Amino acid sequence: MALTKRLLRLPNAFGGAASGLRLLHLSRPAASALPGIQAAQLQKTLTTTPKALVAKEELVFGHVFTDHMLTIDWTAKSGWAAPQIQPYGPLQIDPCCAVLHYALECFDGLKAYRDTQGQVRLFRPDKNMERLNSSAERLYLPQFDGEQVLACIKELLRTEERWVPHGRGYSLYLRPTMISTENTLGVHRSNSAKLFVIASPCGPYFPTGFKAVSLYCDETNVRAWPGGVGNKKLGANYAPSIGPQVAAEDKGYQQVLWTIGEEHELMEVGTMNLFVYWRNDAGELELVTPPLDGTILPGVTRDSVLELARGWGDFKVSERKITMKQVARASDEGRLLEVFGAGTACVVTPVNRIHFQGTDYHVPLDPADATSQAGPLAARVYDTLFAIQYGEQPSKWSVVV
């Protein structure tokens, strides 16, 4: 087994990095002669009882699922088995499976869009395959060939083509997931796993147009910490956020603003990456998002926003530390222009106020339109990404299935 060294900072009581350092030795699997995933070996078993389509206007995110799913099994002895497209249905796993006891699970999320010519498109799917592989590696689950899995996903989409809704704002959400199916108790690496993909048609995140949200800055709970797994898409990162989210809602706010440390460094908003657009201390127009320091999820939409903004060249674009105290001061001084979250589900979610240390800081939206629910930059990002996703604007990011 090859060994690599990872330098970790020990988190202090406030989630910051302590001065002590230690080396964590993480063993990595050596190259294996075992079979990898081969899309050419994909087998299909089609349902004999296809479901009726739900009217697109009635779709609720994550409530309706298509007729089929993709499954691929893996064992340490035999490697990856032949991919299967089979009728959607319950998974049969042992009650002692490691996924049920030790949270050995990771997932990703992407969407398929139908363009005006009727073609089905994916948006930067290679990035989702890279991130799922990265998440699986952290749990010592098996690695896979992203191109081969993507080829299998495309065949699933061809099989479920009728489920991809027509209309701008509508899409088919895809949820690739990997779980340990190790059927023994004990915390150790898995000798068996399952990769599967399910699909769910969904409507616009904002069916009646943008709706800006309010944030509650949680000063007690921390989403992630140095040396942890905040940069991986693990189910274990999401379950602990439910309590703080409910507490924020009970206080009258719609999402949690996650921070870390005594200075309240900004991290994420709800389950989205965070962006702040302001006039900084030097008087420059600047779009800022927290850096990928191991605590932040490397969002596909995040990366897309940064690349678009840098290409426009209209303002400074930075990936750097930014604190809630700096944002509060900028608000008091009239320098705060926009705040928004970015992610696969919503693309962009504008923010209209942030509660921090007993004060509600109001975030400007569109100074030229008092009724607007989005600032000019958030709207520009949203419109541009939508145009690419639906094939209205040519881009290498849009992949025809």
Side-chain angles (χ1 to χ4, degrees):
M1 304 294 285
L3 290 177
T4 61
K5 294 181 179 179
R6 179 172 294 174
L7 189 64
L8 297 181
R9 291 186 179 273
L10 297 175
N12 64 22
F14 299 101
S19 58
L21 297 175
R22 66 185 175 93
L23 288 175
L24 176 66
H25 294 262
L26 296 179
S27 58
R28 298 280 190 247
S32 172
L34 292 174
I37 294 174
Q38 296 296 324
Q41 298 177 358
L42 187 146
Q43 302 169 4
K44 279 189 184 182
T45 303
L46 301 182
T47 182
T48 58
T49 56
K51 306 171 188 175
L53 295 178
V54 176
K56 66 180 185 180
E57 294 79 12
E58 299 175 10
L59 292 172
V60 178
F61 181 81
H63 282 60
V64 176
F65 295 92
T66 65
D67 292 312
H68 301 91
M69 60 186 184
L70 170 69
T71 65
I72 317 174
D73 290 314
W74 173 88
T75 67
K77 288 184 178 180
S78 303
W80 288 103
Q84 305 280 336
I85 289 178
Q86 63 193 65
Y88 179 93
L91 300 176
Q92 186 172 353
I93 59 175
D94 197 290
C96 70
C97 266
V99 63
L100 302 176
H101 298 270
Y102 310 114
L104 282 168
E105 180 269 357
C106 56
F107 67 96
D108 221 282
L110 64 160
K111 288 180 177 180
Y113 310 85
R114 191 183 295 278
D115 64 24
T116 55
Q117 285 75 46
Q119 300 178 111
V120 176
R121 295 172 174 269
L122 292 168
F123 180 74
R124 307 188 76 181
D126 55 314
K127 292 291 185 181
N128 298 96
M129 296 299 98
E130 290 173 10
R131 189 170 62 182
L132 183 59
N133 249 329
S134 176
S135 298
E137 181 185 37
R138 185 63 178 85
L139 299 180
Y140 216 100
L141 290 173
Q143 299 289 280
F144 58 86
D145 185 323
E147 290 185 2
Q148 294 297 313
V149 173
L150 187 54
C152 293
I153 290 174
K154 288 180 177 179
E155 187 57 34
L156 177 65
L157 283 170
R158 295 184 190 105
T159 304
E160 306 293 67
E161 192 269 343
R162 74 187 185 103
W163 286 94
V164 183
H166 291 261
R168 206 169 193 262
Y170 294 89
S171 59
L172 183 66
Y173 181 79
L174 301 168
R175 172 56 65 88
T177 305
M178 192 185 297
I179 64 172
S180 167
T181 53
E182 175 78 20
N183 60 352
T184 58
L185 295 179
V187 182
H188 52 75
R189 66 183 180 182
S190 298
N191 290 310
S192 62
K194 181 185 289 288
L195 171 61
F196 63 92
V197 182
I198 56 177
S200 175
C202 56
Y205 194 85
F206 300 108
T208 59
F210 274 121
K211 191 72 173 177
V213 301
S214 56
L215 308 182
Y216 180 82
C217 182
D218 192 319
E219 299 179 52
T220 303
N221 300 287
V222 177
R223 177 196 168 272
W225 49 90
V229 291
N231 60 337
K232 311 301 179 186
K233 206 164 179 64
L234 314 182
N237 283 340
Y238 292 79
S241 71
I242 295 173
Q245 174 63 33
V246 171
E249 291 171 359
D250 288 345
K251 293 179 174 69
Y253 300 87
Q254 291 155 295
Q255 293 283 351
V256 174
L257 174 59
W258 300 104
T259 65
I260 190 170
E262 294 178 340
E263 295 300 313
H264 302 287
E265 291 179 8
L266 301 186
M267 301 184 76
E268 296 186 10
V269 49
T271 59
M272 300 175 285
N273 291 118
L274 177 68
F275 287 85
V276 174
Y277 183 51
W278 64 359
R279 193 170 292 279
N280 61 26
D281 288 328
E284 304 166 303
L285 285 175
E286 181 183 30
L287 180 66
V288 188
T289 193
L292 299 180
D293 61 357
T295 66
I296 303 297
L297 187 71
V300 178
T301 308
R302 174 191 182 276
D303 184 72
S304 304
V305 172
L306 289 171
E307 190 165 333
L308 284 177
R310 286 174 175 142
W312 292 334
D314 296 336
F315 43 80
K316 184 177 182 179
V317 180
S318 302
E319 297 175 74
R320 64 178 178 84
K321 301 286 187 183
I322 179 173
T323 71
M324 188 55 218
K325 291 181 179 179
Q326 291 173 321
V327 171
R329 183 162 57 86
S331 177
D332 289 339
E333 296 174 359
R335 296 185 289 106
L336 184 62
L337 303 177
E338 296 184 42
V339 177
F340 57 88
T344 298
C346 63
V347 183
V348 170
T349 299
V351 173
N352 58 14
R353 66 187 172 109
I354 305 173
H355 183 88
F356 176 58
Q357 295 185 341
T359 299
D360 272 0
Y361 292 91
H362 291 272
V363 182
L365 292 170
D366 188 347
D369 181 1
T371 65
S372 176
Q373 289 291 301
L377 178 57
R380 182 183 183 185
V381 169
Y382 182 87
D383 290 342
T384 304
L385 288 177
F386 248 49
I388 293 172
Q389 290 166 346
Y390 286 90
E392 299 163 3
Q393 177 174 320
S395 172
K396 63 181 180 180
W397 291 346
S398 184
V399 179
V400 176
V401 173

